[in-house]
Amino acid sequence: MRLIRPALVLFTGLSVVTGIAYPLATTGLAQLLFPHQANGSLVERDGKPIGSALIGQAFTSERYFWSRPSATGPEPYNAGASGGSNLGPLNPALAEAVQGRIATLHKAHPDQDGPVPVDLVTTSASGLDPHISPAAANYQASRIAKARGLSAAQVQALIAEHTQGRFLGLLGEPVVNVLALNLALDKLKP
Amino acid sequence: MTAQGILQIALFLIAVVLVTKPLGQYMTAVFDGRANFLRLLEAPLYRLAGVKSGEEQDWKHYAGAILFFNLLGVAAVYALQRLQAELPLNPQGMGAVTPDSAFNTAISFATNTNWQGYGGETTMSYLSQMLGLSVQNFLSAATGIVVAIALVRGFARKGSDTLGNAWVDLTRCTLYVLLPIGFVYALFLVSQGVIQNLSAYANLDTLEGGRQTLAMGPVASQEAIKMLGTNGGGFFNANSAHPFENPNALTNFVEMLSIFAIPAGLCWVFGEMVGDRRQGWALLSAMAVIFAGFVLLAFASEQAGNPVLSRLGADQAVSAWQSGGNMEGKEVRFGIANSALFATITTAASCGAVNAMHDSFTPLGGLAPLLLIQLGEVVFGGVGSGLYGMLVFAILAVFIAGLMIGRTPEYLGKKIEVYEMKMVSIAILTTPFLVLAGTAIAVVLEPGLAGRANPGAHGYSEILYAFSSAANNNGSAFAGLSANTPYYNSLLGIAMWLGRFLPMLAVLAIAGSLAAKKRVPAGVGTLTTHGPLFVGLLVGTVLLLGALTFIPALALGPVVEQLMLFAQ
């Protein structure tokens, strides 16, 4: 009895505080102070949401920059079921997949004869990576220029404009947000 | 390795040292009863519970309270998952979780392991996440911290038969330490893009005209306490790699810092409470030395990349335009340095959150987190459990030193005798036994082998990692392993429970015994326990014991795999 009463009361009390009051108060304040972020940083075009600034999308058209490969199922970039491939470095399935991706990229970028930036042929941890490296964006620049009838310089300027550096020049890595870049592309030359 | 990466690692370590003292001072005030601004919330709780805050418990009653409180946690999380289909806050209509998965998850969150056999956004209702998992993130963290405090009191007191009041300690830890920091932290995360809502999942048409579902939920409130309490159970399957959990380099830095903050602060609490701050800094130094070595191993190995991909025509060289290296299972915004750093932090501490998939690491890059877990989660370790685990190793270290010079060992003026050494043995040997026996059983049984996602040595590593992670209450995984089966759910569930509470009981027994002893004044033959000699001895003890126990097991997995990779 000396154990049961304090255990039950404190467990219930602390559950209410940390499991109901805390998340609800956080939700309330978040919705008040940061409604855009709290609801997924949605990106709209013509008044309709077309994605989240933080979540990657699949692109297959030659007129768009392509995102990284994604291991989510049943389709890539399924933001309802995140996850990575979990393939080990020596798994033959990894080599086979990468080989296929490199072949596809070579075919789509005949002018690029060097090695392909690694992020463009590997899947991300979340399967939802919204970014590619600046190297991966530049790799695709000539294809985009040709498909859109733009000059290489125009496309490269657009990439540079959408390259985010490290936080305070120190933390993280330089990235290019693929959705933002493609939206800018549509705006530049629909 | 890159200079830019080394700089980021150095910045992280500096930030940890900067938060150690202020957080330590605050926690000392909380457990000494000096912080009282939540009196209005606290007092009625005690009244209702029949707890008198001045009344103290001996170690057995303290342990009984902790155990029973945690059993209630298991029952509650199990019930919530089984009944979630009938309960509110379930906009996606998630069905009841299967009994074996619910059992595993309930133990997983009550033991501060947060091993996840399930995928968060495809399994759990918002109510289960909030009232089940988030609550345990607080309470299991508080459990670890108060046991560490009880052990520290054992060193600090003399001739005492009590260790404090478990009910008061648990309540104060939750209300004063975890809740306020968690709240501010959660709002910061939202400001950076971590979502916090109760809406149904969003369905939208993408730019190219495809359909996309965006999982929603009260993520930030869970994310904050998940990192701060070294829990590590993600709201989403991809954990802190998911952009809605960890959207940018700044959140990543803060999330990493918040894993180490309390374990580092507790070292300071230890020094303060035993009346010699140098003792706390000595433990922290030992932790930092081991940690630094493992970070460099993981970073160098991941940056070197995968020769298989280079041969196929992938460019893994680092440049101003890409981080290069082994990018399978990593996010571009974190690159190699921050993925390797996060992996080392999350396994040095018993957090288990991930921002990259450890299963896809290079063999040596994956060995770093695996061995850190196997060392017993004492390098910063879980909140509380890291400190009490390291103190157990400190007792072992002074015992070994005592044997060398033929004196009765003593630590902080307390004689270390047969009873303490028996309990130290239980505390240290429980988890290696669970890891090695569990792995050995799993690799000879069909349902154990069936879970492997990768062939060869790597598949074996997945199993070894699973038992290492469960028994040491880490929670990260070589996640290719299909562990959401009745076989793994029950076996890993048992490993998590025993790996948490057997050492914890042994630690409380040590605390009780130490508190009753008198303090002997330091003599000429007393080993100084705040200098570099002792730090070296402690580092050596931790590494040697881990190496002796696990090198044969590691040789069959990551070591073989690395040799095969060299051959490529």
Side-chain angles (χ1 to χ4, degrees):
Chain A
M1 193 57 208
R2 273 182 53 203
L3 200 61
I4 295 174
R5 178 171 159 204
L8 283 178
V9 169
L10 290 176
F11 184 77
T12 312
L14 293 176
S15 290
V16 170
V17 173
T18 61
I20 296 175
Y22 161 70
L24 291 187
T26 309
T27 309
L29 264 180
Q31 292 290 337
L32 196 71
L33 298 174
F34 313 108
H36 174 69
Q37 293 95 317
N39 294 312
S41 307
L42 296 183
V43 179
E44 293 190 352
R45 190 162 75 165
D46 310 327
K48 270 182 62 184
I50 50 129
S52 161
L54 300 176
I55 302 288
Q57 300 187 353
F59 291 98
T60 51
S61 154
E62 61 166 10
R63 294 168 45 79
Y64 284 122
F65 284 94
W66 296 343
S67 304
R68 299 180 64 189
S70 159
T72 63
E75 72 275 350
Y77 287 93
N78 176 6
S82 57
S85 73
N86 286 311
L87 294 175
L90 282 171
N91 194 324
L94 175 68
E96 202 178 310
V98 170
Q99 195 166 25
R101 290 167 195 151
I102 289 178
T104 309
L105 284 163
H106 276 161
K107 207 168 152 197
H109 304 89
D111 58 315
Q112 295 276 10
D113 46 10
V116 186
V118 66
D119 58 309
L120 214 46
V121 297
T122 48
T123 63
S124 62
S126 62
L128 307 173
D129 198 338
H131 300 121
I132 52 178
S133 66
N138 284 320
Y139 185 90
Q140 305 179 53
S142 56
R143 167 174 58 86
I144 300 288
K146 200 170 148 208
R148 296 248 173 187
L150 292 163
S151 73
Q154 277 176 304
V155 178
Q156 265 148 12
L158 202 65
I159 293 173
E161 195 185 314
H162 282 83
T163 300
Q164 288 169 268
R166 294 186 170 90
F167 179 75
L168 300 179
L170 289 170
L171 301 180
E173 299 293 334
V175 293
V176 179
N177 185 304
V178 183
L179 178 60
L181 182 62
N182 282 334
L183 278 170
L185 208 52
D186 275 355
K187 212 165 156 189
L188 184 70
K189 187 148 187 193
Chain B
M1 289 190 281
T2 60
Q4 182 70 38
I6 300 282
L7 181 67
Q8 297 193 46
I9 293 168
L11 275 176
F12 168 76
L13 286 172
I14 292 168
V16 171
V17 173
L18 288 180
V19 300
T20 298
K21 187 177 170 185
L23 194 57
Q25 281 175 317
Y26 177 63
M27 287 193 287
T28 310
V30 169
F31 291 108
D32 281 350
R34 281 179 281 127
N36 281 309
F37 59 93
L38 291 171
R39 199 85 207 119
L40 282 178
L41 188 56
E42 217 185 333
L45 269 177
Y46 295 152
R47 217 171 19 253
L48 220 59
V51 171
K52 295 189 188 67
S53 63
E55 206 173 77
E56 296 219 334
Q57 297 160 323
D58 64 16
W59 82 264
K60 286 178 186 152
H61 284 100
Y62 202 101
I66 295 279
L67 262 182
F68 190 65
F69 190 72
N70 278 278
L71 275 172
L72 279 183
V74 174
V77 178
Y78 183 84
L80 273 168
Q81 293 177 82
R82 297 288 294 144
L83 298 174
Q84 69 176 11
E86 326 295 330
L87 295 170
L89 289 176
N90 186 8
Q92 294 309 115
M94 300 291 183
V97 180
T98 59
D100 58 293
S101 176
F103 164 81
N104 182 283
T105 305
I107 290 184
S108 170
F109 278 73
T111 56
N112 202 259
T113 311
N114 306 60
W115 170 268
Q116 296 179 285
Y118 61 93
E121 67 268 49
T122 51
T123 312
M124 295 289 173
S125 76
Y126 295 165
L127 190 74
S128 299
Q129 298 262 27
M130 288 164 45
L131 194 54
L133 308 185
S134 275
V135 167
Q136 283 309 308
N137 282 353
F138 280 97
L139 301 186
S140 68
T143 297
I145 295 173
V146 304
V147 170
I149 295 294
L151 178 59
V152 174
R153 287 186 185 135
F155 281 109
R157 295 178 175 187
K158 44 192 179 229
S160 162
D161 48 14
T162 62
L163 294 171
N165 186 315
W167 304 121
V168 174
D169 288 344
L170 282 169
T171 306
R172 290 181 64 80
C173 183
T174 307
L175 294 182
Y176 285 87
V177 179
L178 301 173
L179 192 60
I181 303 178
F183 186 59
V184 175
Y185 182 9
L187 286 176
F188 160 75
L189 287 175
V190 178
S191 77
Q192 295 298 306
V194 178
I195 58 174
Q196 180 74 23
N197 60 60
L198 300 169
S199 319
Y201 294 0
N203 288 297
L204 42 82
D205 293 313
T206 63
L207 184 54
E208 235 187 40
R211 293 289 290 170
Q212 190 176 41
T213 302
L214 297 180
M216 291 282 144
V219 177
S221 54
Q222 186 157 324
E223 186 73 15
I225 186 60
K226 157 200 160 197
M227 310 309 284
L228 191 63
T230 62
N231 298 281
F235 193 97
F236 299 114
N237 186 46
N239 210 297
S240 283
H242 197 298
F244 279 165
E245 284 198 24
N246 190 3
N248 59 45
L250 177 62
T251 57
N252 190 61
F253 189 81
V254 175
E255 288 188 13
M256 294 191 298
L257 180 61
S258 63
I259 298 177
F260 270 6
I262 291 183
L266 280 173
C267 288
W268 198 90
V269 173
F270 164 68
E272 177 73 7
M273 282 190 167
V274 299
D276 180 1
R277 290 181 186 168
R278 293 172 304 179
Q279 303 287 346
W281 288 113
L283 292 190
L284 195 65
S285 312
M287 294 175 175
V289 167
I290 301 176
F291 173 75
F294 279 91
V295 172
L296 295 181
L297 172 66
F299 185 18
S301 185
E302 291 310 295
Q303 190 70 63
N306 182 350
V308 177
L309 302 194
S310 294
R311 211 184 46 223
L312 292 171
D315 178 12
Q316 295 180 90
V318 62
S319 74
W321 305 114
Q322 67 165 4
S323 71
N326 173 28
M327 283 301 287
E328 181 68 23
K330 294 190 181 64
E331 304 280 302
V332 172
R333 63 192 180 282
F334 306 137
I336 298 297
N338 280 293
S339 299
L341 179 59
F342 197 112
T344 319
I345 292 167
T346 197
T347 49
S350 78
C351 182
V354 295
N355 79 348
M357 292 303 150
H358 297 183
D359 211 352
S360 297
F361 273 31
T362 57
L364 287 184
L367 179 137
L370 176 55
L371 183 53
L372 269 172
I373 294 172
Q374 291 169 337
L375 292 182
E377 297 297 14
V378 295
V379 182
F380 293 91
V383 290
S385 58
L387 177 62
Y388 69 65
M390 198 50 138
L391 283 171
V392 165
F393 271 101
I395 295 175
L396 180 64
V398 296
F399 176 75
I400 293 172
L403 288 182
M404 288 187 210
I405 54 173
R407 277 190 47 125
T408 311
E410 59 189 67
Y411 185 40
L412 304 167
K414 301 281 186 175
K415 278 212 166 83
I416 306 299
E417 293 168 293
V418 175
Y419 181 77
E420 284 79 33
M421 289 318 297
K422 279 185 184 161
M423 291 300 140
V424 163
S425 309
I426 293 177
I428 288 183
L429 295 179
T430 299
T431 53
F433 174 77
L434 291 169
V435 172
L436 294 175
T439 306
I441 295 170
V443 295
V444 293
L445 291 184
E446 191 44 47
L449 291 169
R452 292 168 303 162
N454 284 282
H458 197 84
Y460 158 81
S461 299
E462 290 181 332
I463 297 174
L464 179 64
Y465 198 107
F467 281 95
S468 301
S469 176
N472 288 289
N473 300 138
N474 181 271
S476 67
F478 274 10
L481 186 75
S482 302
N484 197 0
T485 60
Y487 177 81
Y488 275 114
N489 277 333
S490 12
L491 221 56
L492 294 173
I494 294 165
M496 288 188 275
W497 183 262
L498 295 178
R500 173 76 162 174
F501 289 106
L502 280 183
M504 195 180 267
L505 287 178
V507 163
L508 284 171
I510 296 172
S513 162
L514 291 178
K517 293 185 187 211
K518 57 181 193 295
R519 242 183 168 165
V520 288
V524 282
T526 304
L527 174 72
T528 312
T529 52
H530 56 71
L533 178 68
F534 179 71
V535 170
L537 189 65
L538 184 55
V539 168
T541 307
V542 171
L543 290 180
L544 262 181
L545 205 83
L548 289 175
T549 315
F550 289 107
I551 278 187
L554 292 170
L556 298 173
V559 175
V560 165
E561 200 187 0
Q562 185 68 44
L563 293 174
M564 290 168 69
L565 201 69
F566 280 144
Q568 288 289 318

